[in-house]
Amino acid sequence: MSSVIAETRFSVLDRSRTREGHDGPAALRDTVRLAQQLEALGYARFWVSEHHGVPGVAGSAPTVLAAAVAGATSTIRVGTGGVMLPNHQSLVVAEQFGVLEALFPGRIDMGLGRSVGFTDGVRKALGRDKHDADDFAARLTELLGWFRGTSETGVRARPAEGLTVPPFVLAVGEGARIAAEAGLPLVIGDIRGREKMLRGIDEYRASFRPSSWSSEPYVVIAGNVAVAETEEAARRLLVPEAWSMVYSRTHGTFPPLPPAERVAELTMTEKERGFYESGLRGHVYGTEEQVADELTRVIKESGAQEVLVTTSTYDRAGLLDSFGRLARVAGLSPARSAVPSTARSALPSPVQSPVRPS
């Protein structure tokens, strides 16, 4: 194991992807079960996502799902990747995370994004407009104010006020600047868009302003990582997601994940084949040795302190095996990454505590 990897935290974002032949409730139960398995492997944190009206994603209420995950685990940090601020009133978001932190002290992360639905129909159903994302910086400031008791409304966010729930900004493009100016940790993807990702990280570090939340830049890089006995087996884990992306681009809807074997039997149009091959390029996948080499390279290039793995696939056994192999690559152990709730008072500072390797 390289020293670069040994100094890096590894975490997981699970989107509760539905699979062909399995319903949404099954996907949510799979998410909770996976969190328990990853806790045993020693991953630092486990995050869930927010999607609305997407056939292929069951995770529509991240704070509710995070509560279920936190209740089913005991040491792994739990959070969102993320709650999309333009979709919600900041007071309600603060209250939800305040309740989570009150119930599971020292274990909750608040990952925040600026997306506003994927389609006009979803945005209409949410009562939002695509331009609402432009107000993300102001919404972020307002949300953090509820925890500090600085709202000009005279209203107090309970039980959030006075609690410290570490905030992270999920970014592509503009979000990196917003995270820097707010003095917050940055979660940036995708690993396969390497040049764009590195530009965003450089901008973030150059513009970073220390804050009460974080005294220095903290970078989490996100993307698909698949590890298997052979390179081909690892690539096969990425096939269902790649095809779902093709389908969404050609049919306008994101479907449940199909088995890789069924995708292999499909007759694709030239356009579909192009999207498909493109969708399989740039991810980190292969044997343990291959993945160790590539992760060392990308971590050195980015200077990231943490890797957030976002891999989804139809084959749940294969996915768990991949995470187990990655844990070996990273030298993870439960004792290394776990932060028990009872240890919170011993941690060095509000924000550095969950984001620095122990």
Side-chain angles (χ1 to χ4, degrees):
M1 177 178 55
S2 73
S3 59
V4 171
I5 292 179
E7 295 170 357
T8 304
R9 279 198 159 195
F10 283 79
S11 301
V12 173
L13 167 66
D14 187 72
R15 288 174 292 150
S16 302
R17 293 286 276 113
T18 56
R19 299 180 293 153
E20 289 186 0
H22 304 263
D23 58 14
L28 296 173
R29 289 191 292 270
D30 284 342
T31 290
V32 176
R33 188 178 304 111
L34 180 62
Q36 294 171 321
Q37 294 164 331
L38 295 183
E39 178 177 69
L41 289 172
Y43 283 86
R45 67 184 94 243
F46 186 89
W47 283 3
V48 295
S49 65
E50 175 182 338
H51 295 276
H52 299 284
V54 181
V57 182
S60 58
T63 54
V64 176
L65 184 53
V69 170
T73 55
S74 58
T75 55
I76 194 168
R77 294 196 64 87
V78 177
T80 57
V83 165
M84 299 301 147
L85 274 188
N87 293 338
H88 310 280
Q89 295 297 326
S90 64
L91 171 60
V92 175
V93 175
E95 290 171 338
Q96 290 173 344
F97 278 99
V99 169
L100 285 170
E101 176 65 17
L103 291 172
F104 308 101
R107 291 183 58 209
I108 302 301
D109 299 324
M110 185 167 59
L112 306 163
R114 62 194 293 266
S115 297
V116 191
F118 289 130
T119 66
D120 290 338
V122 170
R123 288 189 288 269
K124 183 177 180 180
L126 290 170
R128 296 294 185 266
D129 180 86
K130 61 182 178 181
H131 298 297
D132 286 339
D134 298 338
D135 298 329
F136 178 68
R139 290 173 182 269
L140 180 62
T141 299
E142 182 182 32
L143 171 63
L144 299 181
W146 289 115
F147 289 91
R148 294 297 187 243
T150 58
S151 172
E152 297 178 355
T153 64
V155 176
R156 315 295 284 271
R158 307 201 186 272
E161 186 175 319
L163 297 180
T164 296
V165 182
F168 296 73
V169 173
L170 279 62
V172 287
E174 180 73 5
R177 181 187 61 78
I178 294 172
E181 293 180 353
L184 299 179
L186 172 72
V187 182
I188 188 166
D190 164 344
I191 285 176
R192 64 185 188 140
R194 200 72 51 88
E195 291 185 7
K196 181 179 179 181
M197 182 185 76
L198 294 177
R199 285 197 302 271
I201 292 171
D202 288 344
E203 178 184 2
Y204 167 71
R205 290 201 176 103
S207 305
F208 186 85
R209 301 175 183 175
S211 71
S212 61
W213 297 96
S214 187
S215 61
E216 59 188 34
Y218 187 88
V219 174
V220 183
I221 55 175
N224 289 337
V225 180
V227 197
E229 185 174 357
T230 66
E231 182 178 356
E232 179 55 34
R235 185 179 187 272
R236 189 161 54 245
L237 290 174
L238 302 175
V239 164
E241 185 77 22
W243 172 249
S244 290
M245 292 298 296
V246 171
Y247 194 91
S248 70
R249 297 184 67 176
T250 54
H251 293 77
T253 184
F254 203 65
L257 294 171
E261 294 75 16
R262 190 174 75 75
V263 177
E265 297 173 352
L266 295 174
T267 301
M268 301 184 194
T269 66
E270 184 176 346
K271 182 178 181 180
E272 288 173 335
R273 178 63 63 179
F275 285 149
Y276 177 69
E277 294 299 337
S278 175
L280 287 171
R281 285 196 292 269
H283 303 294
V284 177
Y285 69 91
T287 63
E288 292 179 31
E289 293 77 12
Q290 290 172 318
V291 167
D293 288 344
E294 184 60 23
L295 282 176
T296 298
R297 185 177 301 110
V298 70
I299 293 169
K300 284 183 175 179
E301 289 176 352
S302 64
Q305 289 99 323
E306 186 167 342
V307 175
L308 182 67
V309 182
T310 61
T311 312
S312 298
T313 192
Y314 181 91
D315 180 1
R316 300 298 297 185
L319 181 64
L320 181 59
D321 178 69
S322 176
F323 282 128
R325 291 174 182 273
L326 179 58
R328 286 202 296 270
V329 169
L332 301 184
S333 69
R336 174 192 168 196
S337 294
V339 182
S341 58
T342 55
R344 188 182 184 204
S345 60
L347 295 169
S349 69
V351 167
Q352 275 81 2
S353 60
V355 298
R356 288 183 181 277
S358 53

